[in-house]
Amino acid sequence: MELAIVGAGHVGLTTGACLADIGHQVFCSDCDIHKLNMLRAGQMPFFEPHLASIIARNSVVGRLQFTSTEEAVDRARAVFICVGTPPLENGEADLSAIEHLARLIAQRARGYRLVIEKSTVPVQTGRQLQRHLALYNSNGLECEIVSSPEFLREGSAVEDFFHPDRIVIGVESPRAAQEMQQIYAPLLDQTFVCPVHKVCPPDPRDPSDSGGRKPPLLVTDINSAELVKHASNSFLAMKISFINLIADLCEATGADIAKVAEGIGLDRRIGPAFLQPGIGFGGFCFPKDLQSFVRIAEKFGCDFSLLRETEKVNLQRVGRFVEKVRQELWVLRGKKIAVWGLAFKPDTDDVRYAPSVRIVQRLLAEGAEVRAYDPQASANARCQIPELVCCSDPYAAARGAEAILLLTEWEEFREVDWARVRDIVERPLVVDGRNFLSRENLASQGFRYVDVGRSLLERREASLHSNSQ
Ligand code: UGA
């Protein structure tokens, strides 16, 4: 099918490239001409594993074309709205880009078209979209709105596209449902060569799965599909804030958060995912989606203070972490501190709403000398903190440091040569904001290791124990 993707951000570009990869003809547009030209020249506007090769492969054969929005809308039977919905000052989502696009579609498109919401939008956006399209319809457009929320995670977006947990489509007619099933048919039937694994791997969460698991399809009304997306992100955010609160209590009482999280997660009704404590959630989705969801609920008279608390707990993580560093170093002013990891999570170069950025800003404001290293996100971090000194490897950042703070759990930090680090730091102290490193390994290399959710007493005992072995 001929498809338009409007908005070449993380969602749009991944969705467009992968839809081309499963056989559709995709016209992808963006209002940022510089970005479009980069993509036409084969350059990536951001880092996402596997995506560059999928774009290259499909661009060469012409199945993926980067065009103007006008051309994309003219040529496609289905238009995927993937434009940004950034937060307004009051926390509501800014829908102006969607409104603008709706007007353009209404004024240009003719005949039967699907207009598909992929961007995360407040419930009842579909209804507004429908009204707006009808208002500006000047060419006999016969348009159906669909909500098809995406559940792609940055860093594993390609994998998530090809092996989704579920496909949700919100429609108003059987015809729209049928068209959507046609678009997603290769995913629903798992009939494609997976660009990540080549052969579909078994789902690790499902012992009965031998690979190529067909994702469940949930067909709903539009409002419900819109709500599924906001509710899913909010629930996951809530899980993270919950485990962070439990981590605080573990620190205060001498319990071990790793064991507590394991014990909770073994309950199949809860599950082990998203119970990793640390410096809190970031990125361009959870923080803004939570705020926007709370605002919508308030508008409809529902008390979502549960989610307000979720946000509050998350914001407090940064302060708690900085206090932890202060407890170790006493005075921050003038201290050399190495920061390992700036991205809001591994396998991405995205630093939007990253807790690591806020931690670095706090340290700099207090007069610490921060030297940072991130495998992908340094350039983006420097856009937010121009004075930040970024290094080309973790050792350069650690030279002369009185503390190493691990803020993003990049796999490469597991491979660090700790004996080498021991020789170049001023003081062997690691404060791990992600509970990523091995406490035993670091203790055996002579490091003091401070993590999240274990009491100081516990840590001291563990260190003594490992030293005596
Ligand atoms: C999230 C959702 O997971 C996707 O399903 C959704 O499609 C996407 O938002 C979106 O709305 O577009 P993403 O923001 O890429 O995806 O990242 P996540 O993997 O969900 O992580 C979000 C944050 O939570 C990160 O800062 C991560 O470090 C943190 N996190 C995650 C924790 O602190 N603890 C955990 O146990 C898990």
Side-chain angles (χ1 to χ4, degrees), residues 127-141:
R127 187 179 287 181
Q128 296 285 3
L129 205 51
Q130 185 77 64
R131 275 201 210 121
H132 212 69
L133 284 160
L135 191 66
Y136 291 99
N137 184 354
S138 51
N139 281 316
L141 170 66

Side-chain angles (χ1 to χ4, degrees), residues 120 150-154 229 233 236 240 274-276 280-282 285-286 289 344-345 434:
T120 302
E150 56 81 21
F151 303 102
L152 310 177
R153 290 163 299 171
E154 286 182 29
K229 174 60 199 267
N233 274 7
L236 291 170
I240 298 170
F274 278 70
L275 289 178
Q276 182 64 43
F281 56 79
C285 302
F286 285 180
D289 288 356
F344 83 98
K345 65 173 195 176
R434 301 290 186 174

Side-chain angles (χ1 to χ4, degrees), residues 342 370-374 377-379 381-382 387-392:
L342 294 161
V370 177
R371 289 165 66 83
Y373 165 71
D374 188 286
S378 298
R382 258 199 307 256
E387 70 273 31
L388 180 61
V389 177
C390 290
C391 302
S392 55

Side-chain angles (χ1 to χ4, degrees), residues 200-212:
C200 296
D203 180 350
R205 294 153 297 190
D206 179 0
S208 65
D209 180 33
S210 54

